[in-house]
Amino acid sequence: MAGRAVMLVNVGTVIMTTLTLASLVRGFGVNWGNIASHPLNPDIVVRMLKDNKINKVKLFDAHSWTMNTLAGTGMEVMVGIPNNLLESLAEDYENAKDWVKENVTAYMRKGGVNIKYVAVGNEPFLSAYNGSFLETTFPALKNIHKALKEAGHTDKMKATIPQNAEVYQSANDKPSEGDFRSDVKKTMLDIVNFFHDNDLPFTVNIYPFLSLYLNEHFPVEFAFFDGKGESIPDKGKNYDNVFDANYDTLVYSLKKAGIKDMKIIIGEIGWPTDGHKHATPKLAEKFYAGLMKRLAKEEGTPLRPERLEVYLFGFLDEDMKSIMPGPFERHWGIFRYDGTPKFMLDFTGKGRKIVPVAAKGVEYLDKQWCIVNKDTINLDKVAPDLEYACYHGDCTAMKGDSRCSKLDRIQNISYAFNMYYQIQGQDVKACDFKGTARITKDNATVGSCLFPIQIVSGSDDFSINFVFGRFIVVGLVLLGLIATI
């Protein structure tokens, strides 16, 4: 019988209380991803959304359990089509018709799902994909739009393509020099003209955090919204944060394409809490507080002084995401894997020192951990076992200046062993490692480094797709980690 445990967020002296929000910030929703070994059951997540008064959600697929749980809630939903389906949707219109029938029309009944957008692919023109989806994305979009129109849905919903902000750029970092990236420009012009002709929105993912991650000389304050960044003048407009500059670079790019009034949606924006020196709960709290205050004012950007439509990324941590972009990829959640909040966040944009409402009804596995057996371990021969544990688990919280980066040698190994053990559902065989590990009932957590207990999950019902492969850990985490133990 699975036990229950209470996992509390460390928010100083602030008491976690139920939110009673009179007026939530308009125009924002959250991204709900499920690339996790033990994802929270959809009914728990939907209750979290309701408890936090969040009525807009963006999905990366159309899993039936998730969609059926959203039925009757009235929440606005952006449902996604994974990149691995783009080719079949592009090649055969009948495939697009079938997808719409099964994943849209089936939920358009009375008391069904309030689908507002269909996202065709996700960041398909990332330079890391080397053009893999360049030839299929636009045809897939056209076929999905046609199928939606034929089914009579286009008066209720719009098709779009969530793009990463790297599809446009500026030669001198000023928004007015913005234009679409040369290798995708022709296709992007075709897409935005199709958007314009059919009244479809442009969806873009903007991450100020990545500006810090990719450039160690990037001015830290320019990533936030408190006006402390050095102002950049550009054609009569002043920019004191990277979000405004990035957004208006897209506006200028669209203008150069002859489009002045296209609706823009921010498909993803957020701040991670681990896996990098700037990925901390403190900075995430600062970022979100500034963002929510900005959204509450409905002032928009210098070129677009209007209410923004934004989806925060993400709602929950996902411990099986590819970390090819960086170890922080598994730590984007406002909430931990089990639905406990990580930091204070006021969804009204009033800046109150409150925390979001945690998940309710979460069941945990037994209160036990897998740690090093000090009597049997040979530290000179442990590297292969550590590599195996991290390869099939998640060691990103030990990387760099993360919350578990200050562990000693034995604690490092125990953390890796426990992560593997928990991800394997506490299978007794997953805590052996040739006799060098043991199970303990004593909480193994060290200071602020949480040794988690995994949750009971319906994960077997989810089909999880991984873009870069399941566990890309060795090159980015293990080489640096093993050298330190």
Side-chain angles (χ1 to χ4, degrees):
M1 184 72 178
R4 291 179 179 269
V6 178
M7 313 292 279
L8 296 177
V9 62
N10 180 12
V11 290
T13 59
V14 177
I15 299 174
M16 294 171 61
T17 59
T18 300
L19 295 178
T20 55
L21 305 182
S23 57
L24 212 67
V25 168
R26 293 198 304 161
F28 94 93
V30 295
N31 282 267
W32 172 8
N34 278 308
I35 307 181
S37 61
H38 293 69
L40 279 173
N41 290 352
D43 56 336
I44 293 177
V45 179
V46 169
R47 184 176 180 181
M48 287 176 67
L49 292 167
K50 289 180 178 178
D51 286 345
N52 286 286
K53 314 298 183 189
I54 297 171
N55 61 6
K56 291 166 64 74
V57 64
K58 178 169 167 279
L59 308 174
F60 294 91
D61 56 28
H63 192 279
S64 59
W65 189 3
T66 301
M67 295 292 283
N68 283 319
T69 306
L70 287 166
T73 64
M75 294 181 189
E76 292 184 1
V77 176
M78 180 185 291
V79 61
I81 300 175
N83 290 341
N84 61 5
L85 298 182
L86 295 178
E87 184 175 2
S88 65
L89 296 176
E91 290 180 345
D92 192 338
Y93 174 62
E94 292 301 315
N95 291 335
K97 285 179 63 177
D98 289 343
W99 189 93
V100 168
K101 180 180 178 180
E102 295 171 10
N103 299 291
V104 176
T105 305
Y107 300 104
M108 299 303 290
R109 61 186 184 273
K110 183 179 180 180
V113 182
N114 181 19
I115 302 173
K116 187 173 182 180
Y117 302 108
V118 175
V120 182
N122 185 55
E123 299 187 335
F125 297 162
L126 272 176
S127 56
Y129 293 153
N130 295 317
S132 298
F133 307 109
L134 191 58
E135 301 300 324
T136 56
T137 301
F138 185 34
L141 170 76
K142 289 189 290 186
N143 281 345
I144 287 294
H145 173 74
K146 180 180 177 182
L148 289 172
K149 187 173 184 179
E150 185 176 300
H153 299 319
T154 49
D155 60 331
K156 303 180 184 71
M157 69 191 68
K158 306 289 186 181
T160 186
I161 302 173
Q163 297 283 7
N164 189 280
E166 72 162 18
V167 297
Y168 52 88
Q169 55 195 5
S170 170
N172 62 5
D173 292 331
K174 290 193 174 184
S176 61
E177 295 299 317
D179 204 353
F180 291 110
R181 206 175 72 220
S182 59
D183 60 313
V184 299
K185 185 171 182 176
K186 181 180 182 302
T187 302
M188 285 303 303
L189 292 178
D190 290 340
I191 289 172
V192 297
N193 279 298
F194 185 82
F195 282 168
H196 181 265
D197 293 343
N198 293 280
D199 192 28
L200 306 181
F202 191 109
T203 302
V204 62
N205 302 339
I206 298 177
Y207 284 106
F209 167 80
L210 293 181
S211 297
L212 283 177
Y213 176 71
L214 296 172
N215 181 3
E216 62 179 14
H217 302 297
F218 187 87
V220 175
E221 292 303 326
F222 202 64
F224 299 94
F225 295 94
D226 51 14
K228 294 182 180 179
E230 182 179 349
S231 182
I232 297 175
D234 185 25
K235 291 194 173 182
K237 307 293 183 181
N238 289 300
Y239 295 89
D240 59 14
N241 69 85
V242 70
F243 171 81
D244 284 356
N246 193 306
Y247 188 101
D248 282 359
T249 301
L250 170 58
V251 175
Y252 273 112
S253 299
L254 290 170
K255 284 185 176 182
K256 289 180 182 177
I259 297 170
K260 298 180 180 180
D261 56 355
M262 180 171 291
K263 178 178 180 178
I264 297 174
I265 298 170
I266 307 301
E268 298 176 19
I269 184 171
W271 199 279
T273 57
D274 225 331
H276 185 260
K277 65 181 180 180
H278 292 304
T280 67
K282 182 178 180 180
L283 290 180
E285 182 178 314
K286 177 180 179 179
F287 179 80
Y288 278 114
L291 174 61
M292 298 309 292
K293 288 178 182 178
R294 164 64 72 86
L295 295 179
K297 291 179 180 178
E298 300 189 356
E299 293 178 349
T301 66
L303 279 182
R304 287 278 188 95
E306 59 194 26
R307 180 165 63 91
L308 298 169
E309 184 168 354
V310 170
Y311 291 87
L312 310 182
F313 188 88
F315 199 51
L316 298 157
D317 278 348
E318 301 173 79
D319 64 355
M320 292 286 99
K321 285 194 71 177
S322 165
I323 61 168
M324 184 169 282
F328 51 83
E329 276 298 313
R330 297 176 179 176
H331 306 281
W332 285 103
I334 295 169
F335 295 84
R336 294 193 181 106
Y337 71 101
D338 60 350
T340 55
K342 302 179 186 177
F343 46 83
M344 290 178 284
L345 176 56
D346 182 2
F347 290 123
T348 68
K350 297 176 182 177
R352 295 176 296 170
K353 297 297 182 180
I354 60 176
V355 292
V357 181
K360 297 174 182 174
V362 179
E363 291 190 53
Y364 294 82
L365 301 180
D366 291 335
K367 296 175 71 174
Q368 58 190 28
W369 296 260
C370 179
I371 62 172
V372 166
N373 187 336
K374 295 180 182 179
D375 296 330
T376 59
I377 193 167
N378 184 334
L379 293 177
D380 293 330
K381 297 182 178 181
V382 74
D385 290 331
L386 177 63
E387 180 177 339
Y388 183 87
C390 286
Y391 185 79
H392 294 284
D394 179 19
C395 294
T396 54
M398 290 193 287
K399 178 66 175 174
D401 295 317
S402 301
R403 58 188 165 87
C404 296
S405 62
K406 301 299 189 293
L407 300 178
D408 64 27
R409 195 176 188 187
I410 292 295
Q411 292 166 347
N412 264 333
I413 302 167
S414 290
Y415 183 88
F417 283 1
N418 184 65
M419 290 303 295
Y420 174 74
Y421 172 66
Q422 299 294 340
I423 283 178
Q424 296 300 317
Q426 295 188 354
D427 184 341
V428 65
K429 293 180 292 185
C431 187
D432 181 32
F433 294 100
K434 306 184 187 71
T436 63
R438 66 181 179 88
I439 296 172
T440 180
K441 298 288 186 178
D442 297 326
N443 194 331
T445 292
V446 180
S448 63
C449 177
L450 175 69
F451 280 51
I453 298 172
Q454 198 47 266
I455 64 172
V456 177
S457 169
S459 58
D460 288 344
D461 294 317
F462 283 91
S463 176
I464 300 174
N465 296 306
F466 299 92
V467 176
F468 293 108
R470 283 190 78 190
F471 307 101
I472 303 177
V473 182
V474 179
L476 292 173
V477 176
L478 289 176
L479 294 182
L481 179 63
I482 292 173
T484 67
I485 64 171

